[in-house]
Amino acid sequence: MYLISSSCLFILYLCLGCNALSLPNSHTCVVGAGYSGLAVSRYLKEFGVNYTVFEASRYVGGTWRFDPHVGVDEYGIPVFTSMYKYLRTNTPRQTMEFGGFPFPDSAPSYPTGPCFYKYLKSFVKHFDLMPNIQVRSFVQAIRWIDQHWELTYTQTEERNNYTVSCDFVVIANGQYVRPLLPKFPGLDVFNGSVIHSHDYKEPETYKDRRVLLVGAGSSGLDLATQLHNITNKLVHSHHLVYNQPKFSDHYVKKPDIKGFTKNGVVFKDGTVEEVDDVIFCTGYEYYHPFLDESSGLTVSGKFILPLHQNIINIRHPSMSFIGVVNKVITRVMDAQAEYIASLIAGKFKLPSQEEMLRMWLAHVYRLQYKRKKIIDVNTVGPDQDQYFANLTMEAGIARVPPVLTDIRDFNAVNRLEDLLNYRDYDYEVLDSYNYKRWHNGGGSRAEECPIDA
Ligand SMILES: Cc1cc2nc3c(=O)[nH]c(=O)nc-3n(C[C@H](O)[C@H](O)[C@H](O)COP(=O)(O)OP(=O)(O)OC[C@H]3O[C@@H](n4cnc5c(N)ncnc54)[C@H](O)[C@@H]3O)c2cc1C
Ligand SMILES: *[C@@H]1O[C@H](CO)[C@@H](O)[C@H](O)[C@H]1NC(C)=O
Ligand SMILES: *[C@@H]1O[C@H](CO)[C@@H](O)[C@H](O)[C@H]1NC(C)=O
Ligand SMILES: *[C@@H]1O[C@H](CO)[C@@H](O)[C@H](O)[C@H]1NC(C)=O
Ligand SMILES: *[C@@H]1O[C@H](CO)[C@@H](O)[C@H](O)[C@H]1NC(C)=O
Ligand SMILES: *[C@@H]1O[C@H](CO)[C@@H](O)[C@H](O)[C@H]1NC(C)=O
């Protein structure tokens, strides 16, 4: 009898141990103090979790902070931010705000980059997040050793390495950090300047020059609006079908690239253009150089697997990710942050690893029906509202209202319909399902930023 009851207790203990992740005296390590790292800090603090944020730069705010350095900063640390001058958000701020922490009502819906940065700093101040953020801590390795994580970082001032032990790890190192540069024949003989949009800082650099812009994603279209009227010639190679606005006479649309020559570029239709500079707006890859096989994950530039809800490392559920999802509003990162903090605080329990893997495999299986490939495994895109619903259903976190997905869907189409003027409108969320939108007169409205910092 004694034996049986103690083994029952033992089994019970094991099951509690595998589902309830929260431990007394635990330590949670967060990588990165951009929007995502700040979002999770706020909830961890609110839920009384013991945590430290490791941030490589000397600043909070991630990509929203403009840095004039290219490549590496004055301390030889990689410049992770991709911000450039005169940027305005390409999505209404209402889809980017942290839950329960809106911009002042009078702020424009498409604020400038510096205004969004100010908003992030006001968030840090409001929730007093600085005490748990350790800057100048460049994470180099995260390893699973003896049932816990060991995180090694370089202190970038003294250049010493330190290893700390973490019961939970939250990876929030940014999605737009590692430039994706396609290879083209002849690029090595091309004698002009070549950069990726990650390193683009301001239009003035290209005044009166002949510039080739490659790609028509968010960056490509935004740089076209910045450069068409300042360059001597702006050659834009892309294959996006959209309502091309009336750019200046200096603008030339071209198809995809065949290759480069010493002075210029040859396109797939056989036409040729001479250019001085090339800017590749060809997107980014996931970048997690600090993970090794002990994480149990398959990590590549294009996808990360297997993750439960695109958040939890199924092999080691005490590791989670914020921002490994594609084609979603920034508010998704806030919902993921609340989900993770709720988990660590013991507010809900994950399914067993077997069950998470089974659900994940069903997700992969459904990709085939949708004629998608494994590289789409982290894409939420059109299922965004269902994703919010699922996170709420599983973790009991605040339900992000469907109206934000409606605004996102409208903006995604409208931006391509009215590229030069879509930001001259303001939005107001009326309730969970309705919003209104009106023309705001444009002009100096863009510069308004009613935030005290
Ligand atoms: C130019 C640009 C414009 C954008 N505009 C919009 C927009 O208009 N609307 C919108 O919704 N979204 C936009 N985005 C998306 C944007 O990425 C999100 O809004 C949000 O900033 C993501 O925050 P994050 O914290 O996940 O990443 P990041 O802001 O990139 O922050 C990551 C942080 O991690 C740190 N870090 C990286 N590696 C390490 C390491 N090894 N050790 C320690 N720290 C590390 C970095 O220093 C950085 O502070 C834009 C992105 C870019 C690049
Ligand atoms: C918080 O974590 C740190 C780092 O592991 C540890 O030194 C400290 O004792 C922890 N504090 C509490 C209250 O658990
Ligand atoms: C710290 O770690 C980095 C990355 O692993 C390594 O390149 C560097 O030499 C280390 N520095 C010291 C002082 O050990
Ligand atoms: C390459 O361009 C530089 C100016 O940027 C010029 O001085 C040089 O002669 C050019 N080289 C060749 C091989 O054309
Ligand atoms: C170029 O056009 C953009 C967008 O239409 C505008 O904001 C900018 O002021 C113009 N710049 C110049 C130099 O005319
Ligand atoms: C939401 O959950 C259901 C049920 O598990 C699943 O079939 C669906 O794929 C999920 N959708 C998203 C976007 O996560």
Side-chain angles (χ1 to χ4, degrees):
M1 282 308 284
Y2 175 76
L3 268 177
I4 289 170
S5 60
S6 77
S7 66
C8 282
L9 273 178
F10 184 60
I11 288 165
L12 187 66
Y13 170 78
L14 270 185
C15 291
L16 283 174
C18 64
N19 280 334
L21 284 168
S22 190
L23 309 164
N25 306 317
S26 73
H27 185 224
T28 294
C29 301
V30 179
V31 183
Y35 178 99
S36 302
L38 296 176
V40 78
S41 296
R42 173 256 191 112
Y43 294 113
L44 289 171
K45 183 158 193 169
E46 187 181 324
F47 301 160
V49 173
N50 186 24
Y51 73 97
T52 309
V53 181
F54 298 87
E55 165 56 49
S57 73
R58 284 175 296 151
Y59 311 93
V60 299
T63 213
W64 290 97
R65 183 186 61 88
F66 175 81
D67 192 313
H69 296 92
V70 175
V72 292
D73 69 10
E74 65 269 49
Y75 301 96
I77 304 307
V79 173
F80 291 117
T81 171
S82 304
M83 192 50 47
Y84 47 87
K85 285 192 190 161
Y86 317 120
L87 177 136
R88 288 176 69 191
T89 68
N90 63 8
T91 51
R93 62 167 166 81
Q94 285 84 353
T95 66
M96 306 172 71
E97 290 165 351
F98 297 106
F101 191 78
F103 271 69
D105 286 345
S106 63
S109 280
Y110 296 90
T112 62
C115 188
F116 200 80
Y117 180 41
K118 226 170 157 185
Y119 168 76
L120 294 177
K121 286 195 290 189
S122 74
F123 179 80
V124 170
K125 196 171 156 200
H126 181 86
F127 291 100
D128 191 26
L129 301 178
M130 232 32 225
N132 296 56
I133 300 174
Q134 194 177 306
V135 297
R136 308 201 69 159
S137 302
F138 184 14
V139 174
Q140 305 281 5
I142 302 177
R143 298 187 191 91
W144 178 252
I145 298 170
D146 294 339
Q147 304 303 307
H148 72 285
W149 299 104
E150 292 207 343
L151 179 152
T152 302
Y153 66 92
T154 304
Q155 209 292 343
T156 65
E157 192 168 20
E158 27 158 283
R159 305 215 159 252
N160 285 331
N161 293 335
Y162 296 90
T163 297
V164 296
S165 148
C166 322
D167 302 290
F168 302 96
V169 168
V170 184
I171 298 174
N173 66 321
Q175 192 185 124
Y176 303 103
V177 167
R178 175 81 161 179
L180 184 62
L181 270 173
K183 291 188 172 59
F184 289 106
L187 192 53
D188 49 331
V189 301
F190 175 65
N191 191 30
S193 81
V194 177
I195 65 162
H196 185 276
S197 58
H198 172 66
D199 295 325
Y200 172 85
K201 301 292 174 183
E202 57 183 17
E204 288 80 3
T205 312
Y206 299 95
K207 189 168 164 28
D208 299 328
R209 295 182 66 87
R210 300 169 302 173
V211 179
L212 169 68
L213 203 57
V214 185
S218 304
S219 310
L221 290 182
D222 208 38
L223 295 204
T225 67
Q226 284 205 355
L227 294 171
H228 73 101
N229 52 0
I230 194 167
T231 45
N232 171 280
K233 182 165 72 179
L234 182 65
V235 182
H236 193 183
S237 164
H238 71 81
H239 49 249
L240 177 72
V241 179
Y242 81 119
N243 181 26
Q244 182 183 307
K246 214 182 154 341
F247 286 125
S248 82
D249 296 341
H250 301 254
Y251 181 93
V252 194
K253 154 84 173 79
K254 286 287 173 184
D256 289 354
I257 293 166
K258 192 163 159 198
F260 287 84
T261 62
K262 188 161 76 64
N263 306 315
V265 52
V266 184
F267 298 95
K268 290 224 166 120
D269 63 0
T271 58
V272 175
E273 291 281 348
E274 279 195 10
V275 293
D276 306 307
D277 309 298
V278 179
I279 308 175
F280 282 109
C281 302
T282 40
Y284 293 86
E285 289 189 317
Y286 294 131
Y287 191 52
H288 299 94
F290 42 78
L291 295 181
D292 68 7
E293 64 286 351
S294 74
S295 73
L297 295 170
T298 300
V299 177
S300 86
K302 306 244 180 269
F303 56 81
I304 300 182
L305 59 83
L307 298 180
H308 174 64
Q309 301 277 33
N310 277 307
I311 299 176
I312 302 294
N313 174 351
I314 296 177
R315 308 259 186 237
H316 291 294
S318 55
M319 171 178 276
S320 55
F321 293 80
I322 307 179
V324 180
V325 272
N326 285 318
K327 304 195 175 111
V328 291
I329 59 176
T330 289
R331 177 63 181 273
V332 164
M333 284 30 130
D334 185 69
Q336 294 182 325
E338 188 180 354
Y339 176 101
I340 292 167
S342 298
L343 178 70
I344 295 173
K347 290 174 177 285
F348 79 99
K349 288 173 187 174
L350 290 172
S352 68
Q353 282 169 283
E354 291 76 7
E355 177 62 10
M356 289 192 284
L357 200 55
R358 199 192 57 73
M359 289 165 71
W360 181 81
L361 285 168
H363 164 63
V364 170
Y365 191 64
R366 276 192 303 271
L367 289 176
Q368 294 178 21
Y369 280 112
K370 298 184 193 161
R371 297 177 178 278
K372 299 270 170 69
K373 300 203 179 80
I374 195 71
I375 63 164
D376 298 304
V377 71
N378 304 116
T379 300
V380 170
D383 301 327
Q384 179 178 286
D385 190 59
Q386 187 59 52
Y387 184 64
F388 284 132
N390 284 8
L391 294 184
T392 297
M393 209 166 6
E394 184 183 356
I397 64 166
R399 172 69 159 94
V400 174
V403 64
L404 297 188
T405 298
D406 293 342
I407 293 177
R408 176 231 175 247
D409 292 347
F410 175 81
N411 179 70
V413 173
N414 186 241
R415 188 173 68 94
L416 299 182
E417 278 301 312
D418 193 15
L419 184 64
L420 295 181
N421 308 303
Y422 75 101
R423 293 182 177 105
D424 294 341
Y425 292 81
D426 283 327
Y427 294 66
E428 186 186 339
V429 170
L430 300 172
D431 57 40
S432 292
Y433 297 92
N434 298 285
Y435 67 93
K436 67 178 186 187
R437 169 181 175 270
W438 66 94
H439 195 262
N440 63 22
S444 63
R445 172 76 179 134
E447 297 299 325
E448 291 175 26
C449 186
I451 297 179
D452 314 315

